[in-house]
Amino acid sequence: QVQLQESGPGLVKPSQTLSLTCTVSGGSITANNYYWNWVRQSPGKGLEWIGYIVYSGITDYSPTLKSRASISRDTSKNQFFLHLGSVTPEDTGAYYCARSWYSSFFESWGQGTQVTVSA
């Protein structure tokens, strides 16, 4: 079965770029028909989809974050990445990577990683 694991700094200063890695095992990020997503959750705000990179390398983003978010991948390491620029304390939260069948339901999740934006 596929497993996903988030990693990256837990503390980021305002105006800097938040960078996270999702390491995937048990399945290839280039396998047909799968989308690889970033999702976040903040207290009292619920779950928010950030964006995805598909098996072909095409990306898409939430309209509210499109101007600041970038998703990329390293197929040789079976990893994909999130870069969220110009962060503010409002970007504080738990960040998850997740696999979906096309752009439908999330079938597999990482455990999540807490990111705090603070000076």
Side-chain angles (χ1 to χ4, degrees):
Q1 71 290 337
V2 66
Q3 296 184 20
L4 296 82
Q5 176 66 60
E6 305 89 345
S7 61
L11 180 64
V12 184
K13 294 183 177 180
S15 82
Q16 293 186 337
T17 296
L18 185 163
S19 298
L20 297 174
T21 297
C22 183
T23 300
V24 178
S25 61
S28 173
I29 62 173
T30 62
N32 289 351
N33 304 323
Y34 288 111
Y35 291 19
W36 304 89
N37 303 264
W38 285 101
V39 184
R40 69 180 183 181
Q41 183 174 29
S42 59
K45 295 292 185 180
L47 226 52
E48 180 181 22
W49 177 73
I50 299 170
Y52 60 54
I53 185 164
V54 308
Y55 56 91
S56 65
I58 298 297
T59 57
D60 195 19
Y61 306 95
S62 167
T64 62
L65 297 170
K66 187 177 182 65
S67 65
R68 296 194 291 130
S70 179
I71 298 174
S72 58
R73 66 182 181 175
D74 184 339
T75 58
S76 70
K77 297 181 179 180
N78 215 34
Q79 295 177 322
F80 66 104
F81 314 99
L82 172 66
H83 301 283
L84 185 65
S86 302
V87 297
T88 74
E90 296 298 316
D91 294 308
T92 293
Y95 285 73
Y96 301 85
C97 52
R99 187 178 76 170
S100 62
W101 180 257
Y102 295 103
S103 59
S104 59
F105 63 94
F106 303 116
E107 59 178 353
S108 301
W109 293 76
Q111 66 181 14
T113 186
Q114 178 67 35
V115 179
T116 299
V117 179
S118 176

